[in-house]
Structures are given as C-alpha cells and as structure tokens.
Amino acid sequence: MCAHVVMVPQMIIEEIVKEIERQNLANALADWPARVQPAPKLESQGDGESDSLKHAFPKSEVPIIVPDAEARLTTKVMTWGYHVSWSKQVVFNTRFDTATRPGRNMWAESLAERRCVVPTYGFYEPHKSETFINPRSGKPNKQQYYFTSPSSAILFIAGVFEGDQFSLMTTEPNATMLPIHNRMPVVLQPKELDTWLFGEYLSLEDRSAVDLIATKQAR
C-alpha cells in the first residue's frame, strides 16, 4: 500500500516530459538533484507543505504524466483515488496481480487503455511492526520510513487513471521494502517509462531489481 508521496511541481514535470520527447531524460535527471530540496520531515507536514515541497495523500490533487489522444505525453492534475459505489473511501492503490487477473475487474479498462506515471521525490510507508510512543498523545504510532531513489532526485511510480482520477500500482515488496512493508509501489526506472505507458508492461510487476533508499523518519 502507498498512501503518502512527496509531489513534484507541475513545472518540473513539464520539463521531464520535454526531456522524454528529446530522449534525453537520463542526462536531465542527473542534473536535477542539485536543484531539489531535501524532502520534508514527516512530523513537519502540518498543512501538507514544508520547505516548498508538498505532501500528497489520497484525495489530493497531483500533477502526473498521461498520454493524450495522439499518444503524446502531457501533464495533467488529477485527484488521487477512484470513487467507488460500495465504499465511502476512495480506492487509491491498484494491485498489479489483481488488475491483470483474467476476467472482468474494476481496473481492467484503465490498465488496458489509461496508464500513467506519477513523478515523486519519494514515498512514505509505515513499518509493519516497529512502533514508537508519540510524545504528544502517549500512544504507540507506527514508525514511518521514507523511500527515495539512490540514482535520481525523481522517483517514478506507475499508475492508472479514469476521468480526472488516478490510482497507484502496487506489487510484491523487493529486498529493501520487505522488512518494512508487505507491498510496494511499482517504481519505474526512467528507461521503463515508455514500456509502462505504451508497451508490453507485464514484466514490470517484478520490482526486485529496483534500488531504493529507506530512511527512518525522525520522531
């Protein structure tokens, strides 16, 4: 499950799209870390904003990359989460194994026709068992970890969309994620963006080769 990411501003995503069109994304990504501030600490999120970087949660409006009608990439702001008739809560994650299962399911059409990419600076996940005592409430809270890419300031996550709503794809955890959580987002390498958006994407379910850095967040 993934329910908390640090957003990339739309202006930078528009730059990313231009570099993809120029087939120069790898070189551009090498230059971005110097221009990107460190991610805000979790406890400072407050109103969802810190150090000019914004947190995004389900129901947040997030700038993402989508193909247009002519199969060209563009940037759109969409709401994180699908509204469904059977729940008051939005469905904000899509299991890769469920979405690709033979037969009808709520994700089949989106996965077949409306795949997208969500650029982030990183994402948060709570540890499955590690807790700490919250000094404000005196109650135990799950320890949060922040995941980033060791090779780029931008971390890309696969998604699907419908109308003005999107959902993040999740899969089995890799070696970095496994001690912390039992699911992980489908993190894409820059060279895999085209495959996810336009190609034979089934091989992207396996994220065992994806490098991540897990940083324990201050309490």
Side-chain angles (χ1 to χ4, degrees):
M1 184 176 71
C2 181
H4 184 180
V5 304
V6 179
M7 294 165 53
V8 175
Q10 185 169 357
M11 179 177 64
I12 293 181
I13 297 178
E14 289 170 353
E15 290 185 43
I16 290 171
V17 169
K18 291 178 182 177
E19 296 299 340
I20 292 173
E21 291 175 345
R22 298 187 188 110
Q23 299 183 335
N24 192 42
L25 182 60
N27 291 334
L29 288 174
D31 294 334
W32 265 313
R35 296 193 276 146
V36 175
Q37 302 176 44
K41 292 181 179 179
L42 181 61
E43 67 268 25
S44 68
Q45 70 190 42
D47 60 359
E49 190 170 333
S50 176
D51 298 329
S52 300
L53 297 183
K54 295 183 178 180
H55 294 264
F57 303 87
K59 297 186 180 180
S60 295
E61 292 188 343
V62 181
I64 66 175
I65 298 172
V66 300
D68 64 17
E70 298 178 352
R72 295 188 60 182
L73 298 183
T74 187
T75 303
K76 288 190 176 181
V77 175
M78 294 191 177
T79 301
W80 183 1
Y82 279 47
H83 292 279
V84 292
S85 60
W86 65 86
S87 175
K88 295 180 180 179
Q89 301 298 319
V90 298
V91 181
F92 53 90
N93 284 170
T94 303
R95 291 178 62 105
F96 205 116
D97 54 340
T98 299
T100 56
R101 187 179 300 158
R104 293 179 59 85
N105 65 71
M106 67 172 285
W107 306 112
E109 186 177 340
S110 290
L111 185 63
E113 301 178 5
R114 296 184 293 271
R115 298 189 294 278
C116 61
V117 172
V118 183
T120 73
Y121 290 132
F123 63 92
Y124 291 93
E125 289 289 5
H127 196 283
K128 54 190 174 184
S129 60
E130 184 181 350
T131 62
F132 68 95
I133 300 300
N134 188 313
R136 297 177 182 174
S137 66
K139 297 180 180 180
N141 285 8
K142 288 188 175 182
Q143 175 63 54
Q144 297 282 334
Y145 283 77
Y146 183 60
F147 292 85
T148 54
S149 168
S151 58
S152 170
I154 310 295
L155 186 150
F156 299 98
I157 301 176
V160 292
F161 69 97
E162 181 176 357
D164 61 354
Q165 305 168 347
F166 76 94
S167 175
L168 297 183
M169 300 295 296
T170 69
T171 189
E172 295 295 321
N174 63 14
T176 304
M177 180 64 71
L178 185 59
I180 297 168
H181 204 278
N182 61 359
R183 299 290 295 176
M184 68 174 286
V186 176
V187 176
L188 300 171
Q189 308 286 12
K191 64 183 180 181
E192 295 174 324
L193 299 185
D194 187 68
T195 300
W196 172 250
L197 292 168
F198 303 111
E200 296 295 330
Y201 57 84
L202 292 177
S203 63
L204 300 178
E205 181 177 6
D206 182 359
R207 298 291 84 194
S208 58
V210 171
D211 291 329
L212 293 172
I213 297 173
T215 303
K216 187 174 182 177
Q217 292 301 286
R219 300 173 183 177

